[in-house]
């Protein structure tokens, strides 16, 4: 038995009423929640790539089996619809996508699809970090594509193979609570803006066993979609109450927002479009947005997006100007003999850090950072920017130097001493004899009275002043280093 729910994408006349009855989301971040209980038919207009390119056409040339076309202006996306569903029970799930004729004429569309999950986010999809687990863009001669078994030919799904003429991929084996995104895409024939349509039907043994529970319909009740992470320079985000279980049966929509996401409504908002059913969120208005719908048929019934949708805008990473690099341990101390530092970034996004051209790490703390001038690159993991290499200075001393004329490590001094108050360095041999006094420029070349000193450990005393809590504090550090020849 197939489910009664069909997500029907049919193009209607471009009238006021048709628009109200035809919600669609061509953007992953506002994907329409769907389920399989047969209560709702969604009828979107599929008319392009939406407000934001889910796949940057200059960067993402392929995602799974979907490829950018040879047309230089084309994208992987062409007349797309995004949907999201949450598994309610474990087991086998699939779907059929049936191409439909346009106003009773012949079928001209050829639909492709890609499924992402479980539990990925749209930012990872758009950067190519998350790849589809099922997809197909094979030539279609039955007007059906999907996951499972082709209901016309009986051909079982298999991993995509170009020119196989199999338009079905393998069943999904899902676990309760897992979330999946479905991209439905018409790339083949619709460069002329003509209207085209399809029908979407859930299938699979878990759906047949329990149509009402297999695909969790509580997600559909949160009809504004899943929480969105956006960047401050992204296009505006259009929220639509037309994706609700009420469909087009709307008398009016009341919008509100909790900017701090603390459980208290901060403002009532005015929607746009038919019945005020849309609200446009612009950067940087982070907050949790709610829509309450009053239906028009019979006794007015209120439909509320129970959890609302949290939209969070992030900017590019910026180091805290008051304390960008915090020294946790400095190798001027004997114990521990190391430089441990922490980077402090303004903002509460997710970041990763790389110093001196090394690998990125999530932890802002780095151990054993070499003294002297270093660089750090900070990347916002939500895709909202990456810094150029930022230089930072670590005060410390090299543990050895090699004055042998090869041009490497020829002199020794305390790196970064010039950033402190009145620094002075005294170098002694192992018997306590003063060998050299150093300032902030130059360094010891390993000689005394013009004669090379032998390979050995040498001691130094570093005297300097440092600001602490608004006061200048005199400090002294004494430890040793090695001369190697």
């Amino acid at each position: 038995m197939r489910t009664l729910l069909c997500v029907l994408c049919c193009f209607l006349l471009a009238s006021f009423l048709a628009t109200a009855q035809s919600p669609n989301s061509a953007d992953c971040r506002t994907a329409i929640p769907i389920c399989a209980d047969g209560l709702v038919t969604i009828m979107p207009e599929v008319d392009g790539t939406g407000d934001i390119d889910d796949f940057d056409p200059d960067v993402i040339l392929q995602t799974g089996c979907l490829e950018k076309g040879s047309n230089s202006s084309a994208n992987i996306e062409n007349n797309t619809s995004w949907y999201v569903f949450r598994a309610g029970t474990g087991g086998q799930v699939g779907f059929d996508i049936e191409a439909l004729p346009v106003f009773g004429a012949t079928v001209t569309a050829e639909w492709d699809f890609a499924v992402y999950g479980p539990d990925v986010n749209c930012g990872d999809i758009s950067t190519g970090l998350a790849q589809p687990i099922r997809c197909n863009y094979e030539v279609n001669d039955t007007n059906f594509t999907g996951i499972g078994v082709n209901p016309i030919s009986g051909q079982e799904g298999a991993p995509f193979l170009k020119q196989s003429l199999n338009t079905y991929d393998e069943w999904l084996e899902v676990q309760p609570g897992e979330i999946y995104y479905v991209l439905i895409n018409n790339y083949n024939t619709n460069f002329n803006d003509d209207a085209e349509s399809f029908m979407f039907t859930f299938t699979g043994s878990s759906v047949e066993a329990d149509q009402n529970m297999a695909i969790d319909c509580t997600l559909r009740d949160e009809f504004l979609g899943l929480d969105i992470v956006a960047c401050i320079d992204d296009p505006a985000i259009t929220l639509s109450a037309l994706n609700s279980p009420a469909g087009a049966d709307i008398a009016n929509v009341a919008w509100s927002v909790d900017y701090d996401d603390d459980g208290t409504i901060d403002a009532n908002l005015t929607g746009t479009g038919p019945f005020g059913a849309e609200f446009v969120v612009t950067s940087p208005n982070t907050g949790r947005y709610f829509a309450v719908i009053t239906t028009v048929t019979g006794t007015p019934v209120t439909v509320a997006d129970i959890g609302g949708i949290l939209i969070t805008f992030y900017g590019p990473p910026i180091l805290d100007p008051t304390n960008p690099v915090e020294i946790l341990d400095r190798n001027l101390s004997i114990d521990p003999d190391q430089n441990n530092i922490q980077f402090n970034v303004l903002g509460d996004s997710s970041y990763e850090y790389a110093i001196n051209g090394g690998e990125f790490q999530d932890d802002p703390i780095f151990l054993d950072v070499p003294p002297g001038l270093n660089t750090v690159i900070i990347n916002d993991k939500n895709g909202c920017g990456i810094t150029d290499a930022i230089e930072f200075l670590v005060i410390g001393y090299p543990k050895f130097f090699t004055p042998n004329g090869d041009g490497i490590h020829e002199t020794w001094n305390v790196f970064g001493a010039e950033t402190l108050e009145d620094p002075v360095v005294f170098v002694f041999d192992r018997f306590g004899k003063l060998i050299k006094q150093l300032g902030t420029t130059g360094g010891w070349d390993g000689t005394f009275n013009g004669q090379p000193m032998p390979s050995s450990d040498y001691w130094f005393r570093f005297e300097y002043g440092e600001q602490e809590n608004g006061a200048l504090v005199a400090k002294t550090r004494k430890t040793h280093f090695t001369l190697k020849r």
Side-chain angles (χ1 to χ4, degrees):
M1 179 186 73
R2 287 200 187 147
T3 73
L4 298 177
L5 170 70
C6 294
V7 180
L8 176 62
C9 301
C10 63
F11 287 83
L12 304 177
L13 292 174
S15 65
F16 183 89
L17 181 60
T19 302
Q21 292 178 334
S22 303
N24 177 54
S25 180
D27 291 328
C28 175
R29 63 185 186 180
T30 50
I32 298 173
I34 53 175
C35 68
D37 64 356
L39 295 179
V40 179
T41 298
I42 302 176
M43 300 166 59
E45 291 183 359
V46 185
D47 56 1
T49 58
D51 296 325
I52 187 170
D53 278 326
D54 289 298
F55 310 104
D56 185 338
D58 296 325
V59 177
I60 306 298
L61 303 181
Q62 183 167 357
T63 179
C65 73
L66 303 184
E67 297 179 350
K68 185 179 185 296
S70 58
N71 185 337
S72 61
S73 63
N75 195 346
I76 289 175
E77 296 180 279
N78 187 70
N79 284 10
T80 55
S81 290
W82 282 94
Y83 300 97
V84 60
F85 70 87
R86 181 164 57 205
T89 61
Q92 184 189 78
V93 170
F95 53 76
D96 296 330
I97 302 170
E98 180 184 3
L100 298 177
V102 180
F103 301 118
T106 59
V107 172
T108 58
E110 187 169 328
W111 299 99
D112 308 323
F113 71 88
V115 178
Y116 297 84
D119 304 327
V120 301
N121 63 66
C122 289
D124 288 341
I125 293 173
S126 65
T127 60
L129 183 62
Q131 288 291 299
I133 58 174
R134 301 288 188 276
C135 69
N136 196 286
Y137 82 106
E138 186 61 359
V139 175
N140 195 334
D141 59 5
T142 67
N143 295 332
F144 275 85
T145 188
I147 290 176
V149 178
N150 190 314
I152 300 300
S153 68
Q155 190 170 23
E156 294 186 359
F160 175 77
L161 180 62
K162 196 170 184 178
Q163 297 181 347
S164 68
L165 299 183
N166 187 356
T167 60
Y168 272 69
D169 208 327
E170 297 176 302
W171 295 104
L172 287 171
E173 292 293 334
V174 304
Q175 296 296 321
E178 290 179 341
I179 290 176
Y180 295 85
Y181 285 91
V182 183
L183 165 68
I184 300 176
N185 178 57
N186 174 29
Y187 186 77
N188 189 38
T189 60
N190 197 26
F191 288 105
N192 55 9
D193 297 323
D194 286 344
E196 292 170 323
S197 57
F198 67 84
M199 181 180 294
F200 181 104
T201 308
F202 279 109
T203 62
S205 59
S206 66
V207 178
E208 293 171 358
D210 194 338
Q211 175 177 309
N212 293 326
M213 296 296 294
I215 310 297
D216 183 1
C217 287
T218 62
L219 182 64
R220 187 198 61 211
D221 295 332
E222 300 173 15
F223 50 84
L224 295 181
L226 302 179
D227 292 346
I228 294 174
V229 171
C231 303
I232 58 174
D233 57 353
D234 278 353
I237 299 168
T238 301
L239 303 178
S240 175
L242 294 170
N243 300 332
S244 78
D249 184 22
I250 297 176
N252 61 74
V253 179
W255 294 89
S256 59
V257 62
D258 173 3
Y259 287 120
D260 302 320
D261 195 26
D262 60 0
T264 301
I265 296 299
D266 295 308
N268 294 316
L269 307 170
T270 302
T272 61
F275 322 113
E278 294 182 338
F279 186 80
V280 179
V281 182
T282 56
S283 172
N285 294 304
T286 290
R288 186 174 293 277
Y289 292 80
F290 299 88
V292 177
I293 300 167
T294 301
T295 60
V296 71
T297 56
T299 303
V301 177
T302 297
V303 179
D305 186 291
I306 300 169
I309 180 172
L310 178 63
I311 301 178
T312 307
F313 289 94
Y314 293 115
I318 299 174
L319 282 172
D320 185 344
T322 62
N323 187 24
V325 182
E326 184 175 349
I327 304 298
L328 304 179
D329 299 292
R330 182 178 286 168
N331 81 347
L332 292 174
S333 302
I334 296 176
D335 186 18
D337 190 15
Q338 57 195 10
N339 293 310
N340 298 336
I341 67 169
Q342 175 176 311
F343 297 103
N344 297 318
V345 178
L346 297 177
D348 54 1
S349 186
S350 297
Y351 306 103
E352 58 183 2
Y353 310 79
I355 66 169
N356 300 327
E359 297 293 326
F360 279 101
Q361 66 178 49
D362 294 339
D363 194 340
I365 295 176
F366 285 80
L367 306 180
D368 299 326
V369 179
L373 196 62
N374 297 268
T375 61
V376 62
I377 295 175
I378 306 171
N379 179 50
D380 178 70
K381 296 175 69 176
N382 287 306
C384 294
I386 185 170
T387 67
D388 294 328
I390 302 170
E391 292 184 341
F392 65 96
L393 184 66
V394 174
I395 300 172
Y397 70 96
K399 297 174 184 178
F400 69 91
F401 77 121
T402 57
N404 55 15
D406 65 357
I408 302 173
H409 306 306
E410 292 292 330
T411 61
W412 184 95
N413 203 345
V414 174
F415 294 121
E418 67 276 8
T419 64
L420 302 172
E421 298 280 347
D422 301 322
V424 61
V425 180
F426 302 95
V427 179
F428 305 89
D429 67 13
R430 59 189 303 178
F431 303 106
K433 179 180 179 180
L434 179 63
I435 303 298
K436 186 72 173 179
Q437 178 177 332
L438 301 171
T440 59
T441 59
W444 183 40
D445 63 1
T447 65
F448 180 68
N449 290 333
Q451 298 299 315
M453 295 296 289
S455 296
S456 181
D457 281 353
Y458 290 82
W459 288 83
F460 74 92
R461 186 175 74 246
F462 183 36
E463 298 176 357
Y464 62 97
E466 192 170 31
Q467 294 287 334
E468 288 187 0
N469 300 320
L472 182 63
V473 178
K475 294 185 177 182
T476 300
R477 294 290 185 268
K478 184 178 181 181
T479 185
H480 59 88
F481 63 97
T482 300
L483 186 159
K484 297 181 180 181
R485 291 194 184 275

